[in-house]
């Protein structure tokens, strides 16, 4: 079967004044249909750039990139994106946010009464799935960060995107809320059959969510290694304490430390405490 | 019995109950008035320089009875609203274009910036030359005074819409026109209304300037005429009248803001 997302020789360089940063250097990757793939790596290794390129939000310098068999030439309704924050429409209620895509021509082109009813049913189902039933008419700024991200996910899922792109969507949430969101998004992946590409800097999150983990390294941004996650599809929180999980976590953390170039210089730290002179 | 510590009245950004707020606001307004009344009651200043509040009130009554107070207020308000509306009607779509598309910004923003530093008041002779001294010249001066600032501020309002809102729409398949209409405009609306409120204040300033120079009716003209006849009390009355109208309009804008954007006012 053909890959859902096919990336070959992708490169991207950012030029800001005289400095040039190679954010992506020769990325090759196939993501399978209905896969849950996570990108992890040190800050600045190009995770967001790669995700945004798949979403069509970032232009690349060379290489080829296709999603669902079509060349990516810009953003499209088949690839929904969930951002870390500030992406909800604060002037709309939770339900109006979720149903927002129904105002767009692409989703209402040949609409029949049955379509409208199906959409309304889907919006209700998503609202329930995300545990937002009681917040239906609330405005986003009346919700906690975790609830806001649920709305953002429901809104992204509403038009049945084939691919869901998530850029550190739980980065601003506390640890407990994050665990709940992890199980929720795994559940969504199962019922919606969406292909999910998930960017994080949290190794534990990357392992717990992913079927595969793409470890990236910076300067230049590249794929350092791809790991298969040795966990069954049905994830449980206690798996985080399993042997395989911990071993993989340790290995990935060590690799990130190696590539990040941020070594602790104990001599230098020592000097900080020396009296001047 | 000991109480848990309470926040100090003077703690930085400490909350203040509504009652205390309005009490202090009242004090803030009444004290200068009382000082004014005190100065005139003790006859510390010549009446020609500083009329008493009572003189001003009497003059206001006189103005309403024997002269055309209502007419002056009406014509001035009309000029302000007309000039300001004309500005707004052109500025909103233009600001949406500038705030959305860089090429439009490049084409128009530096130019607008340049024009806004031209002194609007110095255009009065030109406007009189080009348009004459009819109603439209006063409206034109208010327009010149407010429009360019308005466009720049509103373009900034549009630019401040978070990129994540735009990109979320793009990844749902929204077209450019749909993004302008369904994301940028509604997202910027509260800020745009605030800009409209602020520029309304400026429109009143330019009204007075326009009427001082090129009018034979209106509040600004009445103030100028009063100066010729040394009617200081009427000058005071005119100034207080304009500030009162401004305050009322400002409050109306705030009310509309609360009604239109309930999510910003914790409803
Ligand atoms: N718009 C941009 N302009 C200039 N440099 C950028 C831009 N976006 C990203 N970069 C640079 O590209 C590199 C990769 O960034 P990014 O993809 O955001 O990394 P990550 O998401 O892994 O932290 C970084 O060095 C970053 O500074
Ligand atoms: Mg990032």
């Amino acid at each position: 079967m053909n890959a859902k997302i096919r990336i070959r020789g992708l490169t991207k360089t950012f030029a800001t004044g005289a400095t040039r940063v190679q954010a992506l250097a020769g990325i090759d990757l196939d993501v399978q249909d209905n896969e849950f793939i996570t990108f992890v790596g040190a800050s600045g290794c190009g995770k967001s750039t790669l995700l945004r390129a798949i979403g069509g939000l970032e232009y690349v310098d060379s290489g080829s990139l296709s999603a669902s068999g079509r060349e990516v030439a810009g953003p499209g309704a088949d690839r929904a994106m969930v951002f870390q924050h500030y992406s909800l429409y604060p002037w709309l209620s939770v339900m109006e946010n979720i149903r927002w895509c129904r105002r767009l021509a692409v989703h209402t082109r040949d609409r029949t009464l049955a379509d409208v009813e199906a959409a309304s049913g889907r919006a209700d189902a998503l609202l329930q799935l995300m545990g937002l039933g009681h917040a239906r008419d609330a405005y986003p700024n009346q919700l906690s960060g975790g609830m806001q991200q649920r709305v953002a996910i429901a809104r992204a899922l509403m038009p049945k995107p084939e691919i869901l792109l998530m850029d550190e969507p739980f980065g601003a949430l506390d640890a407990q809320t994050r665990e709940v969101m992890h199980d929720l998004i795994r559940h969504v992946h199962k019922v919606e059959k969406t292909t999910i590409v998930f960017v994080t800097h949290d190794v534990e999150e990357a392992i717990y969510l992913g079927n595969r983990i793409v470890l990236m390294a910076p300067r230049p941004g590249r794929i350092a290694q791809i790991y298969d996650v040795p966990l069954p599809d049905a994830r449980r929180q206690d798996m985080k304490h399993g042997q395989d999980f911990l071993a993989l976590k340790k290995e990935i953390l060590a690799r990130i430390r190696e590539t990040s170039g941020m070594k602790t210089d104990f001599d230098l730290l020592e000097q900080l405490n020396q009296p001047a002179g | 019995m000991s109480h848990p510590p309470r926040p100090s009245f003077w703690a930085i950004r400490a909350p203040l109950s509504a009652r205390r707020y309005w009490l202090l606001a009242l004090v803030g307004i009444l004290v200068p008035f009382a000082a004014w009344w005190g100065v005139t009651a003790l006859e510390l200043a010549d009446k020609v320089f500083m009329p008493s509040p009572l003189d001003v009130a009497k003059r206001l009554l006189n103005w309403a009875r024997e002269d055309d107070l209502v007419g002056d207020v009406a014509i001035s308000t009309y000029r302000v609203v007309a000039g300001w509306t004309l500005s707004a009607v052109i500025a909103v779509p233009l600001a949406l274009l500038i705030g959305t598309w860089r090429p439009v910004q490049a084409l128009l923003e530096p130019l607008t910036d340049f024009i806004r530093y031209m002194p609007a008041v110095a255009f009065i002779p030109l406007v009189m030359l080009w348009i004459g001294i009819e109603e439209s010249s006063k409206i034109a001066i208010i327009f010149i005074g407010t429009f360019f600032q308005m466009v720049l501020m509103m373009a900034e309002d549009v630019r401040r819409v978070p990129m994540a809102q735009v990109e979320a729409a793009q990844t749902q398949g929204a077209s450019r026109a749909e993004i302008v209409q369904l994301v940028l405009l509604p997202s910027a609306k509260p800020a745009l209304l605030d800009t409209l409120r602020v520029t309304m204040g400026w429109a009143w300033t330019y009204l007075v300037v326009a009427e001082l120079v090129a009018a034979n009716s209106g509040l600004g003209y009445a103030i100028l005429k009063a100066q010729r006849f040394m009617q200081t009390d009427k000058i005071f009355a005119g100034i207080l009248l304009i500030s009162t109208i401004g305050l009322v309009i400002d409050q109306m804008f705030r009310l509309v803001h609360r009604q239109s954007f309930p999510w910003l006012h914790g409803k």
Side-chain angles (χ1 to χ4, degrees), chain B residues 51-69 222 226 229-238 241:
Chain B
S52 73
L54 202 66
D55 292 339
V56 173
K58 271 188 202 149
R59 172 62 74 179
L60 209 54
L61 220 63
N62 206 29
W63 190 351
R65 279 202 196 120
E66 273 146 49
D67 216 338
D68 194 10
L69 174 73
F229 296 107
M230 292 290 268
Q231 295 171 322
T232 324
D233 45 5
K234 189 159 182 182
I235 298 180
F236 268 64
L241 212 52

Side-chain angles (χ1 to χ4, degrees), chain B residues 2-264:
Chain B
S2 78
H3 291 282
R6 308 175 88 229
S8 152
F9 193 69
W10 296 113
I12 289 169
R13 291 187 185 165
L16 194 63
S17 71
R19 228 195 66 210
R20 282 186 176 181
Y21 183 93
W22 290 112
L23 202 71
L24 286 173
L26 204 64
V27 170
I29 290 172
L30 286 185
V31 164
F33 267 93
W36 173 25
W37 177 80
V39 166
T40 51
L42 298 173
E43 288 178 17
L44 293 176
D46 192 324
K47 251 185 194 287
V48 176
F49 293 115
M50 188 164 292
S52 73
L54 202 66
D55 292 339
V56 173
K58 271 188 202 149
R59 172 62 74 179
L60 209 54
L61 220 63
N62 206 29
W63 190 351
R65 279 202 196 120
E66 273 146 49
D67 216 338
D68 194 10
L69 174 73
V70 176
D72 284 333
V73 169
I75 189 71
S76 287
T77 309
Y78 162 73
R79 285 167 184 158
V80 166
V81 171
W84 171 88
T85 305
L86 189 66
S87 286
V89 166
I90 306 174
V92 170
L94 210 57
L96 270 173
L97 296 178
I98 294 174
T100 307
W101 286 289
R102 291 282 173 193
V104 184
Q105 181 186 351
L107 201 64
L108 296 180
E109 206 170 58
L111 174 71
T112 312
D113 241 330
F114 177 60
I115 298 175
R116 102 174 139 134
Y117 279 109
M118 296 181 180
V121 180
F123 274 84
I124 293 178
L126 276 180
V127 168
M128 287 168 73
L129 192 65
W130 292 336
I131 306 182
I133 49 165
E134 296 104 65
E135 247 3 273
S136 43
S137 65
K138 269 76 84 184
I139 293 170
I141 289 160
I142 293 169
F143 177 84
I144 293 170
T146 51
F147 173 75
F148 301 97
Q149 307 268 3
M150 206 189 240
V151 170
L152 292 172
M153 287 171 71
M154 287 181 163
E156 190 56 37
D157 292 339
V158 175
R159 266 197 297 273
R160 271 206 210 105
V161 173
M163 198 55 196
Q165 288 179 10
V166 173
E167 292 183 333
Q170 287 177 324
T171 62
Q172 296 214 302
S175 69
R176 286 175 194 150
E178 282 172 330
I179 289 172
V180 172
Q181 191 196 333
L182 298 174
V183 180
L184 292 174
L185 181 59
S187 193
K189 253 187 203 166
L192 291 176
L193 186 63
D194 269 332
T195 300
L196 285 175
R197 180 172 61 81
V198 171
T199 48
M200 172 60 99
W202 300 346
W204 277 97
T205 309
Y206 286 104
L207 166 92
V208 174
V209 171
E211 286 184 346
L212 283 178
V213 184
N216 44 26
S217 60
L219 294 171
Y221 173 72
I223 291 173
L224 184 77
K225 215 169 53 176
Q227 182 215 345
R228 283 203 204 115
F229 296 107
M230 292 290 268
Q231 295 171 322
T232 324
D233 45 5
K234 189 159 182 182
I235 298 180
F236 268 64
I239 292 172
L240 288 177
L241 212 52
I242 290 174
S243 56
T244 307
I245 297 170
L247 190 67
V248 169
I249 294 179
D250 197 274
Q251 290 301 315
M252 270 157 48
F253 268 104
R254 288 176 195 274
L255 186 70
V256 171
H257 205 279
R258 274 196 297 277
Q259 300 288 319
S260 311
F261 313 121
W263 71 92
L264 290 174

Side-chain angles (χ1 to χ4, degrees), chain A residues 52 55 57 75-81 83 85-91 100-101 103-107 139 141-142 155-157 159, chain B residues 161-176 178-179 182-188 261-267:
Chain A
R52 291 171 57 79
L57 296 173
D78 56 323
R79 286 155 289 134
M81 181 99 110
F83 301 83
H85 41 211
Y86 307 131
S87 78
L88 288 178
Y89 304 134
W91 62 96
W100 186 81
C101 70
R103 304 178 186 206
L104 303 177
V106 270
H107 302 296
Y139 287 113
N141 65 3
Q142 297 170 318
R155 181 184 62 177
L157 289 171
Chain B
V161 173
M163 198 55 196
Q165 288 179 10
V166 173
E167 292 183 333
Q170 287 177 324
T171 62
Q172 296 214 302
S175 69
R176 286 175 194 150
E178 282 172 330
I179 289 172
L182 298 174
V183 180
L184 292 174
L185 181 59
S187 193
F261 313 121
W263 71 92
L264 290 174
H265 300 278
K267 217 195 87 190

